[in-house]
Amino acid sequence: AITNTIEIAQRCNLELKFGEYHLPDFPAPEGETLESLIDGMAIKGLERRLNAFASKGIDAESQRLHYHERLQKELRVIKGMGFPGYFLIVADFIDYAKGKGIPVGPGRGSAVGSLVAYSLGITNLDPIKHNLLFERFLNPDRISMPDIDVDFCFERRDEVIKYVTDKYGSDNVSQIITFGQLKARACIRDVGRALDMPYAEVDKIAKLIPEELDITLKKALEKEPRLLKLTQDDPRVKDLITVAGALEGLPRHASTHASGVVIANKPLVEYAPMYMSPKDPVVTTQYDMEDVEKIGLVKFDFLGLKTLTIMDK
């Protein structure tokens, strides 16, 4: 088995490319480019918003020029950074959800600072009225992918994911893996079982670890004198803590990221290894969220929000 593993490893030849993005191809109508499409849609969308203000008795006329200047400035940045496709993809699946009566959130995070996002219907908050900054969302001095988190009804989120899967191809769309880590308490229990220590004894030791977020064995020994004394007095407990300390933080199991979905321009097997859980027939990337972004795959966040479902009902 070891010889064959080495033989396979020696046959592998992998080159990872960094610094480029593999955005899916958004289907632009004939005679249009992504740049001309986003220009037209954003200007029309802004006019719709401004007309809606007028119908509600809000005077936006005096600020019309200011709105259009801000829109043009944002569009220049978006086109200059090569991201029109990203906005069009997000606007498209939000438009689909709204058309199907799937509740969609008004926007969250830095994306609500974008007038283009507001004009395209991606967000529902006026960034000029609320004095929000576009530069917090996209900044040419700090090149990084835009990141728009979108909230959907908890029960119908999967319908939107199915829509993008059908549109861009099942080979090009996937959810993202996430790894559960061996945390201090779980690590003690797993190692105790492997060392054949009595369950009751291991349970007593595990319960001495303070119930704090991100607690480590090192911090636990500093904070809990009874655990330190046990480690000093009993060589078996010292052995347990030493082995657990070496394994702490390693991946324990794989599961699916709560919101991240990757959409690419080619089958994902050309960019990343893929994983399928034996229990759950969902295909995910075998790279986690951070590594997926490093190799240029573009992540879209489809968050399932129970609050939207409750409000809808």
Side-chain angles (χ1 to χ4, degrees), residues 21 81 83 86-87 90 93 107-114 117 122-123 134 136-139 142 144-150 176 257 259-261 289 293 297-303:
Y21 297 116
M81 292 174 80
F83 296 142
Y86 181 91
F87 281 81
V90 177
F93 64 67
R108 63 157 79 213
S110 60
V112 292
S114 168
I122 292 170
T123 59
F134 174 67
R136 273 202 65 225
F137 171 57
L138 266 193
N139 195 326
R142 186 176 51 85
S144 63
M145 275 304 293
D147 188 14
I148 301 175
D149 295 339
V150 187
I176 300 170
H257 188 274
S259 63
V261 174
M289 188 173 74
E293 289 178 345
L297 290 174
V298 183
K299 171 181 71 75
F300 296 82
D301 282 304
F302 294 70
L303 293 116

Side-chain angles (χ1 to χ4, degrees), residues 42-118:
I43 290 163
K44 270 186 203 160
L46 180 59
E47 281 302 319
R48 262 198 310 276
R49 294 282 193 190
L50 294 173
N51 292 337
F53 291 164
S55 67
K56 289 175 188 169
I58 303 164
D59 175 29
E61 201 55 44
S62 58
Q63 291 195 65
R64 189 176 285 271
L65 183 64
H66 178 44
Y67 273 92
H68 276 280
E69 282 174 354
R70 164 82 173 253
L71 188 79
Q72 290 304 326
K73 180 185 142 199
E74 287 190 19
L75 284 168
R76 278 195 297 274
V77 172
I78 291 164
K79 289 185 287 188
M81 292 174 80
F83 296 142
Y86 181 91
F87 281 81
L88 293 167
I89 291 159
V90 177
D92 177 64
F93 64 67
I94 287 176
D95 191 47
Y96 169 81
K98 288 175 178 173
K100 291 287 180 185
I102 300 168
V104 183
R108 63 157 79 213
S110 60
V112 292
S114 168
L115 187 64
V116 170
Y118 179 60

